Structures are given as C-alpha cells and as structure tokens.
Amino acid sequence: MLAELGRDAALCLSHSAYHSQVFCLFCNALAGLRHRPLSVVLPINLRSFSPSWDLHPDYQFLWETATLDDFARGSKELREPIESTPIAKAVFQAVPLHLPSGNIRPIGDFLEVIASRIDESSGVAWNHRMRDIFIFHYFYNLYPAHRKLRYFGSALKTLLRSGIGVGLYATPINCRAGVKYVGGPFEKCVSSNLTIIKTYLRSFGVEAISTSELTKRARNPKGPVFLDLAFQCDESDFFTPHNPTEHLRAAARKNLAENISMLAKAVAAK
C-alpha cells in the first residue's frame, strides 16, 4: 500500500512478531551502506513488550539478528539456522506471569486459552477467554529499562548519526474491545505504557505529534517524531469487533499506510 501512495520508493521489512532488536540491527546495516534512505519509520507494537512476544522462543529471531550483526561488521560467512528447542518452549510455558492485578499465572495457562475452541455463543466462557487474551497481549507494566525499548534508542542514535530521518509510530490496537472484556484498567494500563514510551523517546529528542500535524511537519522537518496511533481505530476497523491483535481491515490499513507515508516525508533528510 505504501508503494501505491506516491512516486517515492519504499522498502518494507515485515514479518510476524518482528521486534525492536531486529529493527535496530537492520538500521546498523543501513548505516554502513553507500546509498542510504532519506528516512526510516519504525513501528512500535505494544504487544512486542508483553511476555506473549518478548519471551516466546519462536520470536527471538536469533538467526536474523546474528546475520544482520554479521553484515554490519562486514562478515560474509553464512550462519547455520538457529531454531528454538522443545526445552525452551517448555520453560516459556512455565514462566510465571505477574499480572498488574497481583495474580500470578504460568504463561502456559494463557497459551491453552488461546488454543481453546470456544465461540461467542458460549457466553461467560467466551468473555473469560477474550479477557485472558487481551491481558496476555497488552495488560503489563512496561518499565523504562526494558531491553526492547532500549533497542529503539540504539536505532535512533544510529540513524540520526548517519543523517537518516527517523519517524516512529505506535501500531493501533483494539482498545475498545480490551476495555469491554478487561474493564477500565485496561485503557489506563495501555496509556501508562504509552507515556513511558513517549518519555523515553523524548530523551533522544523525539517529539510526539498528532496526525493533524503531519502535513505541516512535512513542509518544515525539525527532527525525529513519534505518532501515537494506538487508539486511532475502533472495533469495526479490525478483522472482527473483538479481535485481540493488530489485524486491520483493508480500509484501516490504507489509512495507516497514508499516515506512515506522511510520517516518512515529515522526517525525511533533505
């Protein structure tokens, strides 16, 4: 969709559950190229900080990060694939999850809930299932020293040092459904985590702006910016009204692509 929005060339690095370490090392590789992009836009997926992604053995991307690091250092040796092991998966399932409510449950409990075949007609059982999934994905307390957050800081320093414009945005989540199934504390928790992200980024000179300011900034770039789109979409913008992921319908994806395109131009190096 980005490629259809104008004449500028765009490259998208995309894969399910890619996280900030992958992006950071990719930025290191970009910095060593003779021809560099005018801007880089980094997505901040709130689920990437949660145990559901952060601790998942299949989402560490050890081979990808090692290969990108090799490239940045000038190594041309091809690495063997690095796969997660059954032991790593068993340990992941046994990790105790300390919930903001004070309860402690093993991650395996939430994985079983996700795998369960319960449909909406089940009533209370369905509501409990959706509550647990939203909690597993987004209901956590982010701390400023989280390594996935710090990787964004490293990427920022690398790109700015290389003269590449930087934009960041928080990907939309189905907050209204989260509040419906978890309650008012859900939005409060997500908002608190977003505040921590903005405060951390501000220490690198990143200014938080709204979508209405994008066009103005494109005419007069003033450095890196952060666009908070976490609450931009409502239930109808997702695959289903109760969708507990970031999967958007076509119209919402097009709107997101337009915002990303404007963001890229607003921070592009001149």
Side-chain angles (χ1 to χ4, degrees):
M1 286 185 169
L2 277 172
E4 298 172 357
L5 295 176
R7 297 178 180 178
D8 297 325
L11 168 69
C12 179
L13 178 70
S14 177
H15 189 285
S16 295
Y18 265 176
H19 52 70
S20 58
Q21 185 183 13
V22 178
F23 299 141
C24 176
L25 292 170
F26 187 76
C27 291
N28 289 348
L30 285 178
L33 299 178
R34 288 180 57 193
H35 302 289
R36 301 167 183 167
L38 295 177
S39 61
V40 169
V41 175
L42 300 171
I44 300 181
N45 190 317
L46 294 175
R47 191 158 38 133
S48 69
F49 302 108
S50 75
S52 65
W53 277 21
D54 185 36
L55 303 180
H56 200 302
D58 291 340
Y59 299 162
Q60 301 308 307
F61 300 105
L62 300 177
W63 182 87
E64 289 84 351
T65 52
T67 300
L68 284 167
D69 191 47
D70 288 344
F71 180 84
R73 293 185 293 103
S75 173
K76 296 182 180 180
E77 184 178 350
L78 185 62
R79 287 179 175 266
E80 293 294 325
I82 304 174
E83 304 289 346
S84 62
T85 66
I87 293 177
K89 293 180 179 179
V91 170
F92 171 62
Q93 293 182 30
V95 170
L97 197 60
H98 295 257
L99 305 174
S101 63
N103 294 333
I104 301 175
R105 293 170 61 186
I107 284 178
D109 278 5
F110 293 90
L111 298 179
E112 290 179 5
V113 167
I114 291 174
S116 64
R117 296 182 177 276
I118 300 175
D119 58 37
E120 198 167 357
S121 63
S122 302
V124 173
W126 166 265
N127 289 339
H128 287 173
R129 178 178 185 271
M130 298 310 303
R131 178 201 63 195
D132 280 357
I133 297 176
F134 273 103
I135 286 174
F136 190 40
H137 287 176
Y138 307 112
F139 203 60
Y140 58 87
N141 291 324
L142 180 62
Y143 53 95
H146 195 293
R147 68 189 188 287
K148 293 287 175 62
L149 188 54
R150 294 173 73 89
Y151 278 124
F152 281 114
S154 293
L156 271 162
K157 288 191 289 186
T158 297
L159 294 172
L160 294 174
R161 198 164 47 229
S162 303
I164 300 172
V166 191
L168 307 100
Y169 71 97
T171 57
I173 68 170
N174 196 349
C175 186
R176 291 187 181 179
V179 171
K180 174 182 177 181
Y181 291 107
V182 180
F186 180 84
E187 184 173 0
K188 182 179 179 180
C189 180
V190 173
S191 296
S192 175
N193 290 337
L194 284 167
T195 297
I196 289 173
I197 291 171
K198 293 174 185 177
T199 301
Y200 177 77
L201 294 178
R202 194 180 304 124
S203 68
F204 293 90
V206 179
E207 180 186 357
I209 66 171
S210 64
T211 53
S212 61
E213 298 174 88
L214 278 174
T215 303
K216 181 179 179 180
R217 287 298 294 257
R219 292 194 296 264
N220 185 26
K222 294 180 181 178
V225 298
F226 171 73
L227 197 60
D228 183 1
L229 303 177
F231 300 147
Q232 184 190 44
C233 297
D234 61 26
E235 299 117 307
S236 63
D237 290 320
F238 295 86
F239 280 7
T240 62
H242 45 260
N243 191 284
T245 66
E246 306 78 33
H247 300 157
L248 299 173
R249 292 179 179 273
R253 288 201 305 272
K254 183 177 181 181
N255 184 55
L256 177 60
E258 289 173 350
N259 283 325
I260 294 172
S261 179
M262 287 191 291
L263 179 57
K265 293 174 182 176
V267 299
K270 301 300 182 181

